[in-house]
Amino acid sequence: MKHRFIAKRYWKDQSTPMGKVDELAKGFDDVINLSLGDPDLITEEIIINHAFQDARNGHTKYTDFRGDPQLRGEIVKYYKEEYGMDVLDEEVFVTASGCLAMYLALEAILDDGDEVILQAPFFTPYPQQVELARGVPVELATYENEDFQINMQRLEGLINERTKALVINTPSNPTGSCLTLETMKKIAEIAKKHDLIVIADDIYTAFSYQHPFVPIAALDGMKERTIIINSFSKNFTMTGWRIGNIIAPDYIIATIQMINENVVFTAPSISQRAAIHALQNRKKIQPPMIEEYRKRMFYAAERINAIPHMSVIYPPRGTFYLFVNVKETGLNSVDVSDCILKEAHVLTIPGISFGECGEGYIRLACTVGINTLKEAFNRLEKVSIFKK
């Protein structure tokens, strides 16, 4: 919005196809929403009950600036148990959400004009988060015919003297792809060769269906040049609690702490207590949740591949998103998403929202039950652009 009281850097309209489609959806009263990554499941009772008992016991004040010491301890323990990684307490910082974690990391490392390479298709806030930290976002395209793996020649072709960091996301929102261990080892070599920081958006680690998740920070020589971004939102169905964390070298954590004290001071104490109980009870909480999403993903992928002019990689690799190829319709992703909404009353996200290489796709979130997914695909089968 252009106004003399608004900073000029925000005068340019930066609304996205995602936001525009959401506005259109309000015109229908029977919309099936497959657009947002906010699950229909609610946080497990064991987390809720323990967290609110902690609140009654007095955990309602500011915590330590780096986060509740007990939570930091549970995070350290988690990385040792799950990945064999030795993380020090001073390398952990608790944040009020994964989104804030990403911004704090970028703010801590970027000088004006530093370039950040973004694995694309990417989580939509990335470019603006880089720009808020006065950096320059650079899109690194990945493609379906390459299984959405990062191409090393393409990556090195984007690196110059201004390149400071590379953001990777595996399992990926929006593609659902997972970087292979071989790909990550090659990324590690390039990062060391060009002295880059890797920011690893590890938000969907629980949802890796083909192979166990491996953090890039666990690879040889990478812990000292990796910033891990974590969130409890998806791995524990805790989107509304707004709690995440960062794992990074201690000097980066110290800088992040200084910045965060001027932004939100500390993450919510009750949410931090909830995160403690989530980690402590993960072996009970996560398996049924993961299995539910696995069923939804496989069901949805099979239905998609049975509809003319739609296709998706099978079997699903990870997350609870499907990045559906709709190029055979001959329409762009915004028009496809618009047509689906108007004819089927199903809300999806145009692929162009996730970067230029996302054109020709739509993203579906399997955040509703099988019965609702069944109704959604029954409607999609009748949409005019999907007729043979």
Side-chain angles (χ1 to χ4, degrees):
M1 176 183 292
K2 188 174 181 180
H3 192 282
R4 70 184 188 282
F5 292 155
I6 299 292
K8 291 184 176 63
R9 62 182 177 275
Y10 293 113
W11 280 12
K12 183 181 178 182
D13 180 12
Q14 297 185 3
S15 59
T16 66
M18 183 184 297
K20 292 173 182 176
V21 169
D22 188 54
E23 283 299 311
L24 285 172
K26 294 176 182 177
F28 307 96
D29 59 9
D30 62 343
V31 166
I32 297 176
N33 190 344
L34 303 184
S35 69
L36 297 180
D38 196 0
D40 58 330
L41 306 178
I42 66 167
T43 306
E44 281 289 330
E45 282 193 14
I46 192 169
I47 298 174
I48 297 171
N49 293 339
H50 278 83
F52 278 90
Q53 185 58 52
D54 285 348
R56 293 186 188 97
N57 291 340
H59 287 279
T60 58
K61 300 180 181 295
Y62 295 131
T63 67
D64 182 272
F65 289 166
R66 285 196 295 112
D68 187 313
Q70 188 178 352
L71 175 54
R72 299 199 314 258
E74 290 294 337
I75 292 167
V76 168
K77 183 180 177 183
Y78 172 85
Y79 270 82
K80 184 65 175 178
E81 291 179 352
E82 296 292 330
Y83 310 119
M85 277 181 64
D86 291 315
V87 176
L88 302 176
D89 175 77
E90 54 265 34
E91 296 171 334
V92 179
F93 190 89
V94 179
T95 62
S97 79
C99 280
L100 179 61
M102 178 63 79
Y103 167 71
L104 290 170
L106 293 166
E107 182 68 22
I109 68 171
L110 296 183
D111 287 310
D112 291 17
D114 281 349
E115 294 185 4
V116 179
I117 298 173
L118 306 175
Q119 172 193 338
F122 45 66
F123 180 47
T124 52
Y126 286 171
Q128 283 187 255
Q129 287 180 319
V130 172
E131 290 169 351
L132 280 170
R134 299 168 308 285
V136 178
V138 178
E139 181 174 328
L140 169 61
T142 66
Y143 299 104
E144 183 180 1
N145 63 357
E146 299 172 346
D147 200 24
F148 292 111
Q149 298 298 302
I150 289 176
N151 178 288
M152 300 306 141
Q153 185 175 359
R154 204 174 297 133
L155 169 58
E156 285 209 271
L158 296 176
I159 297 171
N160 59 50
E161 66 278 1
R162 297 302 315 218
T163 307
K164 186 69 170 284
L166 164 67
V167 175
I168 64 170
N169 176 212
T170 181
S172 164
N173 173 12
T175 66
S177 63
C178 296
L179 297 179
T180 65
L181 186 58
E182 179 185 5
T183 295
M184 289 200 292
K185 286 180 178 178
K186 290 178 181 178
I187 292 170
E189 290 307 310
I190 289 175
K192 287 182 275 191
K193 175 183 175 181
H194 296 279
D195 196 24
L196 302 180
I197 300 168
V198 174
I199 303 177
D201 182 349
D202 291 354
I203 303 297
Y204 295 90
T205 56
F207 304 99
S208 181
Y209 303 123
Q210 304 301 312
H211 305 285
F213 173 78
V214 176
I216 194 168
L219 302 184
D220 185 47
M222 285 305 293
K223 184 168 176 278
E224 57 264 37
R225 62 173 64 254
T226 301
I227 300 173
I228 296 175
I229 305 298
N230 275 328
S231 169
F232 289 80
S233 289
K234 308 305 165 73
N235 280 351
F236 293 97
T237 318
M238 292 173 61
T239 53
W241 296 80
R242 311 313 296 138
I243 190 75
N245 70 272
I246 301 169
I247 296 173
D250 57 3
Y251 62 91
I252 293 179
I253 293 296
T255 304
I256 285 170
Q257 177 179 329
M258 179 180 63
I259 298 165
N260 191 66
E261 286 175 16
N262 297 290
V263 179
V264 296
F265 207 57
T266 69
S269 57
I270 298 172
S271 296
Q272 293 191 56
R273 301 305 300 178
I276 291 169
H277 300 298
L279 288 172
Q280 290 177 340
N281 293 280
R282 66 184 183 276
K283 295 188 185 300
K284 182 186 303 182
I285 293 168
Q286 287 187 321
M289 175 189 69
I290 294 166
E291 182 58 27
E292 172 63 21
Y293 284 118
R294 179 196 292 270
K295 289 177 182 177
R296 295 179 185 188
M297 288 283 284
F298 277 70
Y299 172 80
E302 289 169 1
R303 289 295 302 269
I304 287 165
N305 286 330
I307 297 175
H309 310 311
M310 296 180 79
S311 65
V312 71
I313 290 176
Y314 191 91
R317 307 296 198 253
T319 74
F320 40 69
Y321 303 111
L322 292 169
F323 209 50
V324 182
N325 189 324
V326 290
K327 294 178 182 179
E328 287 187 6
T329 65
L331 302 176
N332 65 47
S333 60
V334 173
D335 288 343
V336 169
S337 187
D338 184 56
C339 182
I340 289 172
L341 177 60
K342 289 178 178 176
E343 294 189 29
H345 299 181
V346 174
L347 186 60
T348 63
I349 301 295
I352 193 65
S353 302
F354 308 100
E356 293 296 327
C357 63
E359 184 53 85
Y361 295 82
I362 57 172
R363 192 194 75 175
L364 303 183
C366 295
T367 48
V368 297
I370 293 286
N371 288 339
T372 306
L373 286 172
K374 182 177 180 179
E375 171 61 22
F377 289 111
N378 288 346
R379 295 184 191 182
L380 285 172
E381 287 176 334
K382 300 173 184 177
V383 173
S384 59
I385 58 174
F386 300 132
K387 298 292 185 183
K388 287 185 178 179

